[in-house]
Amino acid sequence: MTSAPEQFVTVVRDRVVRAVGLRRDGVIAYDWGFDRHGVHHVQRSFVLLDDGVQIDQPVAFPPQQRGWWYCDLVTVTDDGHVVHVQDMWIDVVVGPPDHPYRLLDLDDYADALADGRLTPLAAADGLRRAQRFLDRRLNRRHDPTRAWPDFPPAEVTALLTADLPQDWESSTG
């Protein structure tokens, strides 16, 4: 099986960030920037299209967590050249393989379902995708090795140092 050619796309993240990214092998990588405490940061994010999950190594994590990953369950609306990514509340923090991952914000997900921001059908889909991501990428089952089964995915590792367009804008400033 041959992989699809690389393609530049526009990623619209949470209707706030609009960035040019690179689609390769089921992953979209893009850079975007923000200011925090008077310091400008550039963050690289990766959208795992098959998983419906966006991951990054937060540049704003404290030094003892540098290299850790933050994973967001997202909805992805793929219009070809424009890909809309919307956060779906459930998050996972992934550290080194000898450290347990941490599942976050199930309460926010429940609140969204309870107050109608999330339909029952969308909630069921999100829970299934979150479980599939955990089982495919992180859950070791009975494997005694100290390694994540498939995390970060090889397609992401290949894009960690790729030259990406530094072309983004944010409606928050």
Side-chain angles (χ1 to χ4, degrees), residues 36 41 57-69 94-96:
R36 184 181 217 181
H41 298 277
Q57 293 179 302
V59 295
F61 265 5
Q64 63 271 26
Q65 289 181 306
R66 291 280 151 72
W68 288 32
W69 292 87
V94 182

Side-chain angles (χ1 to χ4, degrees), residues 61-161:
F61 265 5
Q64 63 271 26
Q65 289 181 306
R66 291 280 151 72
W68 288 32
W69 292 87
Y70 200 89
C71 311
D72 295 293
L73 180 70
V74 295
T75 58
V76 177
T77 305
D78 189 345
D79 296 329
H81 293 290
V82 178
V83 178
H84 296 266
V85 178
Q86 186 67 38
D87 189 291
M88 292 294 291
W89 299 283
I90 296 175
D91 304 316
V92 183
V93 177
V94 182
D98 62 346
H99 195 282
Y101 64 81
R102 185 168 172 218
L103 190 60
L104 305 171
D105 299 333
L106 292 175
D107 55 343
D108 293 335
Y109 196 82
D111 291 345
L113 176 60
D115 68 20
R117 289 177 288 153
L118 194 57
T119 67
L121 190 60
D125 174 66
L127 289 172
R128 286 185 186 105
R129 288 186 299 109
Q131 186 66 57
R132 188 172 55 237
F133 172 77
L134 294 173
D135 287 345
R136 179 179 183 192
R137 307 286 183 188
L138 298 172
N139 289 338
R140 295 185 185 107
R141 306 268 178 204
H142 304 291
D143 184 0
T145 62
R146 293 280 190 184
W148 300 122
D150 187 20
F151 194 84
E155 300 87 354
V156 168
T157 303
L159 288 165
L160 280 172
T161 59

Side-chain angles (χ1 to χ4, degrees), residues 9-76:
V9 296
T10 298
V11 177
V12 179
R13 176 185 179 138
D14 297 326
R15 297 185 204 109
V16 174
V17 173
R18 183 179 200 85
V20 177
L22 179 66
R23 179 195 308 251
R24 181 196 294 167
D25 297 330
V27 174
I28 297 173
Y30 66 99
D31 289 341
W32 57 284
F34 62 95
D35 294 318
R36 184 181 217 181
H37 307 296
V39 177
H40 184 72
H41 298 277
V42 176
Q43 178 67 62
R44 179 159 294 184
S45 296
F46 305 89
V47 181
L48 308 177
L49 296 169
D50 289 343
D51 291 327
V53 172
Q54 179 171 261
I55 69 174
D56 55 49
Q57 293 179 302
V59 295
F61 265 5
Q64 63 271 26
Q65 289 181 306
R66 291 280 151 72
W68 288 32
W69 292 87
Y70 200 89
C71 311
D72 295 293
L73 180 70
V74 295
T75 58
V76 177

